[in-house]
Amino acid sequence: MRYRPVTALVLLTLVAGLGACSNNKRTDDEAAPDAGRQASGSIATDPKDSRGPAAEVPGAAKGGTVTVLRQSKVSHLDPQRVYSFVGLTASQLYARRLTTYKDDGKGKVVLVGDLAETPGTDVTKDCKTWEFKIKEGVKFEDGSAVTSKEIAYGIARSFDLALTGGPTYLQEWLADTPQFDTKFNFTADKTALPPGLSTPDPRTLRFTFARPHCDLPFAVSLPATAPVPPAKDTGTDYDKAPFSSGPYRLAKNEAGTRLTFERNPHWDPATDPMRHQYPDAFVYEFGANPVTQTNRIIADSGADASAVSFNGVDASLVSKVVSDPALKARTLQEPTPSEYTLTINNNRVTDLKVRQALNYAIDRDGVVKTLGGDTVARGVTTLMPPATIGWKNYDAYPAGRTGNPGKARELLGGATPELVLGFPDDARNQELSTTLKANLEKAGFRITLKPIAADTFLDETKKKNNPWDLYIGSWGADWPSGASILPVLYDGRAIKDGGSNNGASYLNAPALNAEFDRILAMPVADQLAEWGRLDEKIMLEYAPVVPLYVDVMFTIHGSKVGGVFIDSIWGSVAVTNAYVRP
């Protein structure tokens, strides 16, 4: 079923879970989340769904300041460079994009037009030519109009290699090559546009691709499509003071310690289908560790009564929080789209039976217990996390919740493979790797643990000829589809000598690569079941990794905070509905 022009007055309903952003860029049983929760997702085809104002939040009041506590600062504020969970959620305050998600916080998510009147029109019905009609009445913080020109300029500046950190989907799709800078040099001519991007008039933005990209409506929900006025572009310094198109604008940036956002007087709620402007201000405060965050919010005093912890309840305080009904009533808890795997280096571990044995060996209950219990993690057996459109519930190597070392030994046939397991050298991964080593040695493997500096771990494991057989990997989808998980992690054509996005499994199977091409050429609605089937096929025929667990977000907020929820797309604290109780 192809995308129809957005005049149809229906919703294309896709019943499944919805997932979120890459961790690679991408942390007790008494308070277990709803493990069976599945979101319902849809792409809005009725233009009314993309119009504002957003539905009022019951009980919401205007005024006050919401404070978000986080241990480390936001990496980037420049929307073309934003690619972290905190950046993606915070940027919703000041950077509108072509499309976005209406998320009720209870499992219902709808992709709608944000700057655009709809989630886009597949003009030629082959996913190669897309048009977005820009809404009238959307304004920047100085009152000037947002047009297709500023949106196109924002996308064009993402080709600047100096603006590191952001996603590269649109650049690669427009240039039709991963080496997108060879097709368009932004710094050489900032008045030009990349190949395939055009603005026929101030209200029309057109993408023309050499190959089908049916996931474009999802991809343009990333803040890389936020508008930037050319006169306001300060290059790398734009990170310090981005120009707002949303309900809030940056009022003060205090060098990595605090960000203060105030209301944008030129934001028109009639143009916005999902945001509100309830608080007078939002403050992002950096530096406090999870213990301090949790204790401050438990105390519920002063400004902390209207604060929320971004990092979540510290493990040492979980029992205290869940055993006190008044505190537990102020918590949020949901599984996230962030999945962790025991990644197998398929260049080194070439025997399928060995990879299958690794899958049988793992005690997932033990792994979850090591991490702190069900409040922080949930075991999985699939490549796509449950919070993904098209997810299929299967277990290719049924070993029960605690593993089947006997079956693993049977597959090994008396062999005792010697494998090296690399892990980031922080406390959490030290404990996890020790647990994995015990699991694997019980099943007949001989495991050597090798710590890798946490700040270089991703770079080192992405080197094609790295010396490790196994490593702890992680990934979260950039938009809610298997298209931003399976091809990204397992298409062998993306393998490079360094910096591979192949998920460090280095799987390269021509038949599988052809399947990616086949499915990606389908309209999104037709892809959904295909991704679920392919997920199972990859595990049965290749077993490139051992799925371990997904993160669970368990956090707490002050008694005066209302409207916050765990975002279905990013799995982190969403503030678009937040308000301060009087």
Side-chain angles (χ1 to χ4, degrees):
M1 174 178 179
R2 298 187 181 278
Y3 284 118
R4 294 192 178 101
V6 287
T7 54
L9 301 180
V10 295
L11 279 180
L12 170 63
T13 302
L14 318 171
V15 179
L18 297 177
C21 164
S22 164
N23 286 332
N24 275 9
K25 334 200 174 164
R26 181 222 315 196
T27 293
D28 313 294
D29 297 328
E30 299 163 289
D34 178 6
R37 177 188 176 190
Q38 283 292 292
S40 62
S42 59
I43 300 175
T45 57
D46 184 346
K48 292 180 181 177
D49 291 292
S50 299
R51 296 173 191 159
E56 293 294 332
V57 177
K62 284 199 170 258
T65 296
V66 170
T67 300
V68 179
L69 303 177
R70 190 171 190 270
Q71 184 167 7
S72 55
K73 67 179 183 178
V74 180
S75 301
H76 295 292
L77 296 177
D78 183 335
Q80 274 71 46
R81 304 179 71 180
V82 167
Y83 211 21
S84 65
F85 290 130
V86 65
L88 289 163
T89 52
S91 65
Q92 288 280 21
L93 297 175
Y94 63 88
R96 297 181 66 175
R97 41 276 249 168
L98 279 173
T99 64
T100 193
Y101 301 93
K102 291 166 73 170
D103 186 347
D104 70 355
K106 300 176 183 178
K108 181 180 179 182
V109 182
V110 182
L111 183 76
V112 298
D114 186 0
L115 293 168
E117 291 184 341
T118 68
T121 302
D122 178 8
V123 177
T124 50
K125 305 297 187 293
D126 60 2
C127 298
K128 291 184 179 180
T129 303
W130 290 87
E131 282 191 356
F132 295 84
K133 188 67 69 174
I134 309 308
K135 294 174 180 175
E136 293 183 293
V138 182
K139 297 179 180 178
F140 288 106
E141 62 178 80
D142 64 352
S144 59
V146 173
T147 73
S148 61
K149 308 294 184 183
E150 293 80 24
I151 301 169
Y153 180 83
I155 295 170
R157 71 189 293 273
S158 70
F159 278 72
D160 186 348
L161 296 183
L163 303 180
T164 58
T168 59
Y169 296 104
L170 296 183
Q171 300 95 303
E172 293 181 17
W173 293 357
L174 287 166
D176 198 32
T177 173
Q179 288 73 44
F180 55 83
D181 59 303
T182 63
K183 296 295 183 71
F184 177 67
N185 187 338
F186 173 75
T187 57
D189 185 358
K190 296 184 179 181
T191 64
L193 291 178
L197 185 66
S198 61
T199 56
D201 60 64
R203 293 191 57 219
T204 304
L205 187 70
R206 180 181 295 151
F207 293 84
T208 304
F209 301 119
R211 286 181 274 183
H213 291 291
C214 299
D215 270 26
L216 184 67
F218 289 134
V220 295
S221 70
L222 294 167
T225 63
V228 177
K232 299 294 183 181
D233 185 7
T234 54
T236 55
D237 284 342
Y238 196 69
D239 241 355
K240 300 174 184 177
F243 204 60
S244 175
S245 55
Y248 291 84
R249 62 187 181 188
L250 184 62
K252 196 172 186 181
N253 184 346
E254 300 176 62
T257 60
R258 183 188 301 261
L259 299 171
T260 302
F261 296 94
E262 64 183 11
R263 287 193 181 120
N264 172 10
H266 297 287
W267 171 76
D268 183 355
T271 70
D272 200 321
M274 56 81 70
R275 298 173 185 81
H276 297 280
Q277 204 181 50
Y278 294 131
D280 294 326
F282 283 91
V283 171
Y284 280 72
E285 182 182 310
F286 309 114
N289 63 32
V291 173
T292 300
Q293 291 178 33
T294 307
N295 280 325
R296 283 174 55 178
I297 294 175
I298 286 174
D300 205 37
S301 176
D304 291 336
S306 58
V308 60
S309 169
F310 193 91
N311 294 111
V313 176
D314 187 78
S316 66
L317 294 165
V318 166
S319 294
K320 179 177 181 178
V321 171
V322 299
S323 63
D324 184 333
L327 293 178
K328 190 174 179 181
R330 295 199 270 121
T331 61
L332 304 170
Q333 184 178 25
E334 291 295 342
T336 76
S338 298
E339 178 165 337
Y340 290 73
T341 60
L342 177 61
T343 302
I344 305 168
N345 186 333
N346 287 235
N347 279 339
R348 295 171 61 88
V349 185
T350 57
D351 189 332
L352 175 60
K353 287 189 176 181
V354 172
R355 300 199 299 269
Q356 291 172 329
L358 289 166
N359 273 274
Y360 276 111
I362 298 303
D363 173 2
R364 288 183 178 82
D365 275 5
V367 166
V368 169
K369 184 176 180 181
T370 295
L371 294 166
D374 285 346
T375 57
V376 296
R378 190 183 92 190
V380 293
T381 60
T382 57
L383 296 175
M384 299 191 301
T388 310
I389 287 180
W391 178 70
K392 181 179 181 181
N393 188 12
Y394 72 90
D395 187 352
Y397 305 100
R401 297 177 57 141
T402 57
N404 188 339
K407 180 64 176 178
R409 287 179 179 273
E410 178 185 326
L411 281 165
L412 293 177
T416 56
E418 298 184 24
L419 303 177
V420 178
L421 195 167
F423 64 93
D425 63 352
D426 54 58
R428 171 174 167 148
N429 282 293
Q430 172 71 60
E431 293 178 0
L432 176 57
S433 62
T434 300
T435 295
L436 295 172
K437 173 182 167 73
N439 288 177
L440 297 174
E441 292 189 336
K442 188 176 180 181
F445 292 93
R446 298 171 65 185
I447 302 298
T448 300
L449 296 181
K450 289 290 184 182
I452 306 169
D455 59 351
T456 64
F457 178 80
L458 292 179
D459 290 339
E460 293 300 317
T461 55
K462 285 186 174 187
K463 291 178 179 177
K464 183 178 179 180
N465 295 315
N466 74 69
W468 305 289
D469 303 295
L470 310 168
Y471 15 79
I472 298 166
S474 62
W475 189 259
D478 287 310
W479 58 84
S481 163
S484 63
I485 301 175
L486 300 182
V488 179
L489 297 183
Y490 304 108
D491 188 333
R493 294 166 295 185
I495 295 173
K496 297 180 285 188
D497 288 340
S500 292
N501 252 345
N502 180 264
S505 70
Y506 301 106
L507 174 66
N508 188 7
L512 181 58
N513 299 341
E515 275 293 278
F516 293 140
D517 290 343
R518 181 183 70 83
I519 298 174
L520 286 169
M522 295 179 173
V524 171
D526 295 346
Q527 293 180 18
L528 305 184
E530 292 290 314
W531 291 127
R533 285 194 287 267
L534 187 59
D535 188 323
E536 185 174 21
K537 178 183 174 72
I538 293 171
M539 282 300 297
L540 286 170
E541 297 183 9
Y542 303 99
V545 303
V546 182
L548 295 177
Y549 66 94
V550 292
D551 271 336
V552 172
M553 170 59 82
F554 180 53
T555 195
I556 189 168
H557 58 80
S559 62
K560 290 189 175 182
V561 177
V564 290
F565 60 94
I566 303 302
D567 187 287
S568 299
I569 309 303
W570 315 124
S572 54
V573 178
V575 296
T576 50
N577 289 349
Y579 64 91
V580 178
R581 294 188 174 96

